[in-house]
Structures are given as structure tokens and as C-alpha cells.
């Protein structure tokens, strides 16, 4: 059996192979420009070194490298060697930092068993991980493009920022982007009449109260604003147009990846087990399964190890009479942030999660601490579901009987109480009072008036 160490760079791979006694059997450098298929070149190098060259254990510091992933897909064993531990061994032995010396050192550490086995997920789980990371990056890019547009408008045209409230999507809404694309400056927006605004809103997908919204925007754009020189304003409008184009591209990319993410999420083997968790939709569920994979037992070994990997298990420091519990920072940032969002969402949808969060806050925990402890329970339950094949059950996860009288519940606060509903009905009974005016007085939406006061859905 052979043991190989691979030190990688952006131009070549340095490989060293040792036997069981630690003797170096061969060394080589695989240059990417000279080897179209580095995996085939690596296998050709191993062939004359031993009869059982196919059983070679290859140690590498970055298992996400294309070479490592392709080598593992070809059937050969690839293991992960911690680069921090490699640096400590190099310093302790007084070895100079070279690619060839690092390859030998990684090979000797692989022989000594100082590595972590590489657990390969199924193709469905690996595809979900790739799409989830792409979707996360697309959402971050969309937020960055939106902030850039908002900052530019605040310096040039502040009235456009407040023209669309956040309740309808703000500047990210399709209506705002359509109007600003047609009129990216105050002078151009002031020249838009109600007919032009209505046409832009219809093109952006608005179907209801189009004329009212067009009149509202016309009144907003016709108000006096601070103006610049027309030439400077034209240059600013040009910049706003480019920022809008970048935002449009970011929004379309995020929406397309959202659809792809939902498709890959349903194809994951553990999707039926996680889909029943209240408050965890397609995005959060896909993010969780993307980071956990579909082989949690082989990868983590226990739920406690998975919780430590997720950053929701505390670190205890003890020295003499001093004991300190600290936040675990050495963890997966993606899984930690996803668990925080999942715990925050479950508090509003899960009776058990809401009761647990309320108990932790009553015991003196801060908001973030209570969510982190709730995230630990969530990830432990998900580990149990994925290892046992049982779907997520809120009552089992938080230990209560839903049929009992003292079972926790998550009462949803109605947007209007009985007094406000009676007041709204009296207002609507007055001739000339509209639903829109009643909703504006009570500070709610017209849909709330139709649903909770009139008892019927809003007409389409």
C-alpha cells in the first residue's frame, strides 16, 4: 500500500509517494498547462511504483480542489490533511517552505494517520450544495447592487428612495425598477404623466389600482426637489441607469437560482424528512441539507459533533477554579447563519420552538443566545431524523403532547382586535367611506379589511 502527499498551487501539483516504511518511492510535478488530465497523469505516475497502486491513500490540504474531487470520483481514496497541522510540523522539524518539501511532509503525515477521511456525498447532495452556494452568493450580490443604487440615489435624488415603501419591495420591486429605468433623473420623472406611469406599472406586472398608484407617483415626482446642472444631472442619470441594469441582472439571477434551488432541494434524499419542519421553507431547508449532506453519520459521527461543526455547541475553558463558557467561532459560517435564521423563523411558526425560546428568555438568556440554543436543538433533531429516517415532528422534537390541555401553542395575533373591527364596520356603514380610506385610518392593508372585517377575500 502506498501513501501520497499532494501540495497544490494554481499552476502545478507536487506529489511525493512513500511506502509503509516511510521511504520515498517517487516524486513528480504535474503542470496543468502540460497535462490536460492531471488525474490520468497522476495514475500513470503511480502505476510503476507498486502492484497495489490503486489502493494509494492520497493526502491533500484542500479536498474541494477539482483534482481532489475528480480523483475521489475515479474511485481512489482521498483524505484531508489539516494545513495548520502541516505548518506546525514543518516548523517543529525545521523544514524550509517549498512545494516539494510540503508534498513529502503531507505524505509522511498521511502514513502516520494524521488526516480526516473524505466523506463523499451523493450526486444529488453535492449538486444541491453547489446550487445553494451559488444562490447564497447571488442573494448577497443582489443586496450589494440594491445598496449601491440606494446610496447613489440618496446623494442625487432622495425622493426616489422613499417613493416606494419597503412593504412593496422598495427599490428592488419590479415597478420601481421599471419607472426608474424610464426616468432616472428628477427632471425626467417630472415629465411623466399618469398615462405613461400607468403603462410602466402594467408592464412591470401590476394589475390592481394601477391608476391610483400612477397618480400617487405623479404627485411624488411633481414635488419640488433640489436640482443640479442639467449636464451633471445627465451624468448622474447615466450612472443610475448602469446601477439599475446591474440590479436587474442580480434580481433575475437570484430568481432563476431560486427555482433551481427548489428543484435540487426536492431531489435530495432527506427532503421528505426536513420538509415538515414548521418555519423552514425551501431556501432554509436547502441551505441546511447542503451543509449537512446526506451522510451525517459517516461525516460527523454524532449529533454533538454536528452541533460543534455548526457553531451552536459552546466551548468550555477551565483552569483551576475558573470555568468560562465561550462562543464557538471555529465552525461553518454558512451552517451557523442558516441555523440562526431557521431558529428565528421557527419561533413564529412552531409551538414547541416558541415555548422553548420563551423559556430561555425567561431564564435570562439574550436574544442571540436563546436562538443559538434553539438552533442546537434543531440541528440535533435534524441529525436524528436523517439517521433514523423519521420525518420531523414538532411535538417529538420539543417533548410535548399536542392532545394535552397544557400543550404549547403559538397564537397568532390578529391585525385587528374586536374593537377595531367594530369601528371599521361602523365606518364602512357610513355612505361614501371606501375600504381604502378605512384601511388608511386604521393603519392596515385593504386585504386585512376585506378578510377580517368583511369576511371575504379581496376581489381580483
Amino acid at each position: 500500500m502506498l501513501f501520497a502527499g499532494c501540495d497544490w498551487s494554481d499552476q502545478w501539483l507536487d506529489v511525493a509517494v512513500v511506502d509503509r516504511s516511510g521511504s520515498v518511492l517517487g516524486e513528480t510535478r504535474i503542470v496543468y498547462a502540460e497535462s490536460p488530465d492531471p488525474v490520468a497523469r497522476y495514475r500513470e505516475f503511480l502505476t510503476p511504483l507498486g502492484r497495489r497502486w490503486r489502493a494509494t491513500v492520497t493526502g491533500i490540504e484542500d479536498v474541494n480542489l477539482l483534482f481532489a474531487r475528480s480523483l475521489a470520483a475515479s474511485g481512489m481514496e482521498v483524505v484531508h490533511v489539516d494545513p495548520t497541522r502541516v505548518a506546525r510540523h514543518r516548523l517543529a522539524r525545521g523544514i524550509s517552505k517549498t512545494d516539494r518539501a510540503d508534498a513529502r511532509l503531507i505524505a509522511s503525515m498521511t502514513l502516520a494517520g494524521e488526516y480526516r477521511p473524505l466523506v463523499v456525498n451523493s450526486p444529488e447532495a453535492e449538486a444541491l450544495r453547489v446550487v445553494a452556494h451559488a444562490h447564497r452568493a447571488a442573494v448577497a450580490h443582489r443586496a450589494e447592487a440594491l445598496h449601491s443604487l440606494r446610496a447613489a440615489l440618496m446623494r442625487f435624488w432622495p425622493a426616489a428612495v422613499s417613493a416606494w415603501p419597503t412593504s412593496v419591495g422598495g427599490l428592488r420591486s419590479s415597478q420601481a425598477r421599471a419607472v426608474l429605468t424610464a426616468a432616472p433623473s428628477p427632471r425626467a420623472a417630472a415629465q411623466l404623466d399618469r398615462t405613461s406611469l400607468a403603462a410602466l406599472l402594467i408592464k412591470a406586472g401590476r394589475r390592481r389600482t394601477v391608476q391610483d398608484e400612477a397618480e400617487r407617483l405623479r404627485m411624488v415626482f411633481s414635488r419640488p426637489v433640489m436640482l443640479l446642472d442639467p449636464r451633471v444631472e445627465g451624468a448622474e442619470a447615466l450612472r443610475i441607469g448602469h446601477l439599475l441594469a446591474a440590479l436587474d441582472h442580480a434580481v433575475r439571477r437570484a430568481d432563476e437560482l431560486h427555482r433551481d434551488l427548489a428543484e435540487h432541494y426536492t431531489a435530495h434524499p432527506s427532503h421528505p424528512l426536513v420538509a415538515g419542519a414548521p418555519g423552514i421553507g425551501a431556501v432554509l431547508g436547502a441551505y441546511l441539507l447542503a451543509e449537512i449532506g446526506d451522510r451525517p453519520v459517516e461525516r460527523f459521527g454524532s449529533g454533538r459533533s454536528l452541533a460543534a461543526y455548526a457553531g451552536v455547541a459552546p466551548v468550555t475553558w477551565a483552569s483551576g477554579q475558573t470555568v468560562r463558557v465561550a462562543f464557538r467561532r471555529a465552525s461553518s459560517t454558512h451552517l451557523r447563519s442558516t441555523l440562526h435564521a431557521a431558529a428565528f423563523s421557527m419561533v413564529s411558526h412552531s409551538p414547541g420552538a416558541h415555548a422553548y425560546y420563551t423559556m430561555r428568555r425567561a431564564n435570562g438568556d439574550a436574544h442571540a443566545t436563546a436562538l443559538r440554543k434553539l438552533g442546537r436543538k434543531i440541528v440535533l433533531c435534524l441529525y436524528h431524523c436523517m439517521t433514523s429516517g423519521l420525518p420531523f415532528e414538532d411535538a417529538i422534537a420539543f417533548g410535548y403532547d399536542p392532545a394535552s390541555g397544557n400543550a404549547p401553542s403559538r397564537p397568532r395575533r390578529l391585525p385587528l382586535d374586536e374593537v377595531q373591527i367594530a369601528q371599521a364596520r361602523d365606518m364602512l356603514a357610513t355612505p361614501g367611506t371606501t375600504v381604502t380610506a378605512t384601511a388608511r385610518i386604521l393603519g392596515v392593508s385593504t386585504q386585512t379589511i376585506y378578510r377580517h372585517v368583511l369576511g371575504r377575500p379581496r376581489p381580483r
Side-chain angles (χ1 to χ4, degrees):
M1 190 173 183
L2 304 179
F3 301 89
C6 179
D7 184 75
W8 67 276
S9 66
D10 57 348
Q11 295 182 352
W12 56 70
L13 297 168
D14 277 276
V15 179
V17 181
V18 298
D19 57 11
R20 290 185 179 275
S21 63
S23 302
V24 179
L25 300 181
E27 294 176 318
T28 187
R29 169 170 288 183
I30 303 175
V31 182
Y32 297 141
E34 300 175 357
S35 303
D37 188 355
V39 173
R41 175 68 183 87
Y42 176 66
R43 293 165 70 96
E44 292 174 1
F45 166 71
L46 292 177
T47 302
L49 298 181
R51 292 187 304 172
R52 301 185 58 191
W53 64 270
R54 294 182 182 273
T56 302
V57 181
T58 304
I60 192 170
E61 295 176 325
D62 187 3
V63 293
N64 293 320
L65 194 68
L66 177 59
F67 172 78
R69 296 165 61 188
S70 180
L71 187 63
S74 67
M76 298 193 66
E77 184 177 0
V78 180
V79 296
H80 175 249
V81 180
D82 189 4
T84 304
R85 183 171 295 182
V86 173
R88 291 174 180 173
H89 277 262
R90 186 192 312 115
L91 181 63
R93 299 183 185 182
I95 302 175
S96 301
K97 178 69 174 74
T98 62
D99 294 342
R100 182 179 179 182
D102 283 351
R104 286 190 175 188
L105 183 57
I106 294 174
S108 63
M109 294 178 64
T110 305
L111 171 63
E114 300 185 35
Y115 59 78
R116 185 169 65 247
L118 175 63
V119 179
V120 181
N121 293 321
S122 65
E124 294 83 3
E126 189 65 20
L128 175 63
R129 187 184 69 86
V130 174
V131 176
H133 286 188
H135 180 264
R136 190 188 293 269
V139 170
H141 180 66
R142 183 183 63 187
E144 181 181 357
L146 178 61
H147 294 331
S148 299
L149 175 63
R150 187 182 185 279
L153 287 174
M154 287 298 297
R155 295 172 60 90
F156 163 58
W157 187 15
V161 177
S162 58
W164 290 273
T166 56
S167 59
V168 298
L171 295 175
R172 205 186 79 182
S173 65
S174 59
Q175 301 174 35
R177 289 183 281 120
V179 174
L180 290 178
T181 301
S185 65
R187 285 187 174 91
Q191 296 176 1
L192 293 176
D193 55 7
R194 185 166 61 179
T195 303
S196 302
L197 288 170
L200 291 173
L201 294 176
I202 293 175
K203 184 179 179 180
R206 190 179 182 95
R207 295 293 178 266
R208 293 183 254 176
T209 62
V210 176
Q211 297 298 329
D212 295 342
E213 179 66 10
E215 180 63 21
R216 185 188 71 83
L217 291 176
R218 191 188 68 82
M219 295 296 295
V220 170
F221 295 148
S222 62
R223 294 171 184 169
V225 295
M226 296 178 289
L227 298 176
L228 301 175
D229 185 272
R231 291 167 294 183
V232 179
E233 183 175 323
E236 291 283 359
L238 183 64
R239 182 172 67 163
I240 296 299
H242 285 287
L243 292 176
L244 280 169
L247 179 59
D248 287 338
H249 175 73
V251 169
R252 288 195 303 269
R253 178 168 170 254
D255 293 342
E256 292 173 0
L257 282 172
H258 184 273
R259 292 191 292 268
D260 297 336
L261 183 68
E263 294 178 1
H264 285 81
Y265 175 52
T266 55
H268 193 280
S270 300
H271 167 259
L273 308 179
V274 183
I280 298 181
V283 175
L284 289 178
Y287 283 0
L288 288 173
L289 293 183
E291 301 303 323
I292 298 175
D294 60 345
R295 300 176 62 188
V297 176
E298 295 84 349
R299 186 179 178 187
F300 301 104
S302 65
R304 297 180 60 183
S305 298
L306 175 57
Y309 174 77
V312 292
V315 179
T316 303
W317 303 88
S319 177
Q321 300 297 325
T322 302
V323 178
R324 182 170 61 92
V325 180
F327 174 73
R328 183 181 294 273
R329 299 188 180 276
S331 60
S332 170
T333 55
H334 289 334
L335 185 54
R336 185 174 65 195
S337 61
T338 303
L339 278 176
H340 181 88
F344 185 83
S345 178
M346 287 190 69
V347 169
S348 302
H349 296 83
S350 166
H354 179 261
Y356 181 82
Y357 172 82
T358 305
M359 179 191 67
R360 296 312 317 170
R361 291 303 304 270
N363 290 339
D365 289 347
H367 171 69
T369 305
L371 288 183
R372 187 163 58 249
K373 292 181 179 180
L374 177 58
R376 185 175 186 273
K377 288 187 68 68
I378 294 173
V379 77
L380 291 178
C381 293
L382 291 180
Y383 180 86
H384 175 73
C385 293
M386 297 176 68
T387 54
S388 63
L390 299 176
F392 186 92
E393 291 287 345
D394 189 75
I396 299 178
F398 295 97
Y400 68 90
D401 184 8
S404 62
N406 57 352
S409 61
R410 181 66 180 107
R412 298 182 63 88
R413 185 179 66 86
L414 296 177
L416 295 175
D417 55 24
E418 295 182 358
V419 176
Q420 291 175 325
I421 292 176
Q423 179 184 357
R425 288 174 179 171
D426 294 338
M427 294 172 61
L428 291 174
T430 305
T433 305
T434 62
V435 174
T436 303
T438 304
R440 186 180 297 111
I441 294 174
L442 296 177
V444 296
S445 64
T446 55
Q447 179 67 52
T448 301
I449 300 297
Y450 277 107
R451 179 176 299 174
H452 297 279
V453 178
L454 301 178
R456 54 188 173 88
R458 182 176 180 174
R460 297 290 178 180

